[in-house]
Amino acid sequence: MDDVDHRTRGCAGCLAAGVVGAPAALLAWAPNARVSVTGGFEQQHRDLSVLFVDLPLVAFGGALVPALAWLLGLRVLGGRAWAAALVAVAALGLGVWGLTSWWTPYERPEFVG
């Protein structure tokens, strides 16, 4: 019975981490990608590749990073669900911080003199 409880906690935590992680990553990514989608001033910076390439990668990474952190935390910390949840939240926070501080879409200069 204890083995089933560990499996249940592992699956529930992975699902919760993925369901929370993907939207959190997308919400952090969207303001940075807005200029590429709308085009900025007179649509000079329009680059829709952020929707086809970056959007799926950010959603997949946002779901995968906290889920893997949850599983690793559950395994390393001896099955403590609360500690694994803290590890998953910390991994999501670090992932979102890394995404917003390092990823910026390409922007051509407004005025080329």
Side-chain angles (χ1 to χ4, degrees):
M1 183 68 180
D2 190 39
D3 190 36
V4 174
D5 187 39
H6 283 290
R7 284 190 208 150
T8 305
R9 277 190 279 175
C11 290
C14 272
L15 182 65
V19 167
V20 171
L26 288 174
L27 286 173
W29 167 82
N32 290 337
R34 181 180 56 85
V35 73
S36 293
V37 175
T38 61
F41 180 70
E42 292 184 352
Q43 296 186 351
Q44 292 180 6
H45 299 290
R46 189 172 202 131
D47 179 20
L48 295 180
S49 70
V50 296
L51 296 176
F52 306 122
V53 177
D54 298 342
L55 176 71
L57 289 175
V58 168
F60 182 68
L64 189 65
V65 167
L68 289 177
W70 170 271
L71 285 176
L72 184 65
L74 202 60
R75 172 131 345 208
V76 170
L77 299 171
R80 294 186 192 106
W82 63 270
L86 287 177
V87 170
V89 168
L92 178 63
L94 286 173
V96 166
W97 171 77
L99 176 70
T100 57
S101 61
W102 291 320
W103 182 84
T104 54
Y106 172 73
E107 293 182 22
R108 291 181 304 191
E110 287 286 337
F111 302 103
V112 179

